[in-house]
Amino acid sequence: MKKKTEKTTAETIAQGCIAGRMRLLNRVVTRTYDDALRPLGIKTSQLNILVVTAGLGLARPAEISSRLKMEISTVSRNVDRMRAQGWVEVVEDEQDARAHKLRLSGKGKRLLEKAKPAWDKAQAIVKELLGRDGVQAIMSGAESAGATV
Amino acid sequence: MKKKTEKTTAETIAQGCIAGRMRLLNRVVTRTYDDALRPLGIKTSQLNILVVTAGLGLARPAEISSRLKMEISTVSRNVDRMRAQGWVEVVEDEQDARAHKLRLSGKGKRLLEKAKPAWDKAQAIVKELLGRDGVQAIMSGAESAGATV
DNA sequence: GGCATATAAGTGTATATACAATAATAAATC
DNA sequence: GATTTATTATTGTATATACACTTATATGCC
């Protein structure tokens, strides 16, 4: 007769929770990028909003929200801080009085270029940490989750 | 001669940033667990601290911090909220007057058992989302990052 | 045209997180 | 044994995030 080793609920969750591991990994990875970016005065979250905005040229907050799968209220507050830094500017929408668009300022563009080497450094550290397959899994997982490039 | 398509800095980062994808995935995954756990009044972060505490029996905040790779100040505040809910109790340390230990209350233990089906549900959704390889990559990535089971 | 409904964005409130600084106590060193 | 150094945990301050609600405006339908 096979002896079955019972696992407690706590053990099952502690060892198997995908969210727990994902959140842990997120803390470690974000810390790596934040450390590298700190001298530039920008945080990982802000840099990611910055590059999406840059990619769109003129970006509606709702579009940023949708691409980053981030609550629009969160976008709103992050953008507030980025505007306060002078990295992004608001352009009123001609057609729709509710809406507006965001674009990078000159300062924002310059910051982006200055931040690239720091980002490269963090990126290399994390690639080393996760390995080729790990990186690939994150990328395709994010795509499954609805990430738009 | 090969025509090289230049990629802007913004495109390079927007498309390739591991932290960005990881954070996006983290938002989506956490939302899934939070949705499932909402009726129970516990959040993903708190559940993960709860199971680590349960696993240790008597848990020092510094030990939780170390296992979850979470700042001890963050542990401190999360535990405050969990104590306010009556899920964990504080036990003074006999040897060290600076320190104390945490353990689950009866209420905390009952919550954990009640939360298991909701956790199972979220876990299944996310497994489906990430696929076997994706889950494996997160798990081993977290281990590389220093996660202690 | 006028009303119902939908959409865009912001605000209120709460949790999660980190870093810096502090307070208290223990451990180490001289 | 007294002083320095290290450790344990908390508090101050700031950002990131989400959900519920609100405000303003646009769209659809009668």
Side-chain angles (χ1 to χ4, degrees):
Chain A
M1 226 203 297
K2 196 166 43 162
K3 172 105 184 299
K4 210 192 294 182
T5 306
E6 290 289 343
K7 221 189 258 190
T8 64
T9 301
E11 282 167 353
T12 303
I13 299 180
Q15 291 165 24
C17 185
I18 303 165
R21 296 313 175 93
M22 172 117 235
R23 293 173 63 81
L24 185 156
L25 200 46
N26 184 53
R27 286 189 293 271
V28 172
V29 167
T30 296
R31 195 142 45 219
T32 303
Y33 286 75
D34 278 347
D35 285 348
L37 294 171
R38 190 160 299 121
L40 294 149
I42 190 172
K43 302 201 69 181
T44 306
S45 173
Q46 298 169 345
L47 179 62
N48 278 285
I49 291 176
L50 202 72
V51 295
V52 168
T53 303
L56 290 167
L58 284 172
R60 290 186 315 107
E63 180 69 21
I64 297 174
S65 162
S66 162
R67 292 199 176 212
L68 292 178
K69 294 282 171 288
M70 178 185 282
E71 266 292 310
I72 192 165
S73 58
T74 301
V75 173
S76 195
R77 276 160 173 138
N78 285 347
V79 166
D80 279 350
R81 287 182 276 266
M82 294 166 71
R83 285 176 59 188
Q85 296 289 337
W87 300 329
V88 298
E89 300 167 339
V90 175
V91 183
E92 290 309 319
D93 191 303
E94 302 288 314
Q95 280 79 46
D96 192 335
R98 295 169 303 181
H100 60 244
K101 289 175 178 173
L102 303 166
R103 71 170 169 223
L104 260 62
S105 65
K107 193 175 173 188
K109 289 176 192 167
R110 287 191 295 277
L111 173 65
L112 187 49
E113 298 307 323
K114 275 201 306 180
K116 178 69 164 39
W119 177 82
D120 282 331
K121 189 178 127 198
Q123 185 86 346
I125 293 170
V126 170
K127 266 184 187 160
E128 181 73 24
L129 177 73
L130 295 178
R132 182 186 298 269
D133 291 351
V135 171
Q136 185 49 46
I138 302 293
M139 292 317 220
S140 66
E143 197 172 350
S144 305
T148 311
V149 175
Chain B
M1 228 207 292
K2 199 167 42 162
K3 172 103 183 301
K4 209 193 296 184
T5 307
E6 289 289 342
K7 220 190 258 191
T8 64
T9 301
E11 282 166 352
T12 303
I13 298 180
Q15 291 165 23
C17 185
I18 303 166
R21 296 312 174 93
M22 173 114 234
R23 292 172 64 81
L24 185 157
L25 200 47
N26 185 52
R27 285 189 293 271
V28 172
V29 167
T30 296
R31 195 141 46 218
T32 304
Y33 286 75
D34 278 348
D35 286 349
L37 294 170
R38 189 161 299 120
L40 294 150
I42 189 170
K43 304 201 67 180
T44 306
S45 173
Q46 299 169 345
L47 180 62
N48 277 285
I49 290 176
L50 202 71
V51 296
V52 168
T53 303
L56 289 167
L58 283 173
R60 292 187 12 258
E63 180 69 20
I64 297 173
S65 163
S66 160
R67 291 198 178 213
L68 292 178
K69 293 283 170 287
M70 178 185 284
E71 265 292 308
I72 192 166
S73 58
T74 302
V75 174
S76 193
R77 273 155 175 143
N78 286 347
V79 166
D80 280 350
R81 288 182 276 266
M82 294 167 71
R83 284 176 61 187
Q85 296 287 338
W87 299 330
V88 297
E89 300 166 340
V90 175
V91 182
E92 290 309 319
D93 191 303
E94 302 288 315
Q95 280 80 47
D96 191 335
R98 295 168 302 183
H100 60 244
K101 290 175 177 173
L102 303 165
R103 70 169 170 225
L104 261 62
S105 65
K107 193 175 173 188
K109 288 176 192 168
R110 287 191 296 277
L111 173 65
L112 186 51
E113 298 307 323
K114 276 202 305 180
K116 178 68 163 42
W119 177 83
D120 282 331
K121 189 177 129 199
Q123 184 85 347
I125 293 169
V126 170
K127 267 184 187 161
E128 182 72 25
L129 177 73
L130 295 178
R132 183 187 298 270
D133 291 351
V135 171
Q136 185 49 46
I138 302 293
M139 293 316 218
S140 66
E143 196 173 352
S144 305
T148 310
V149 175

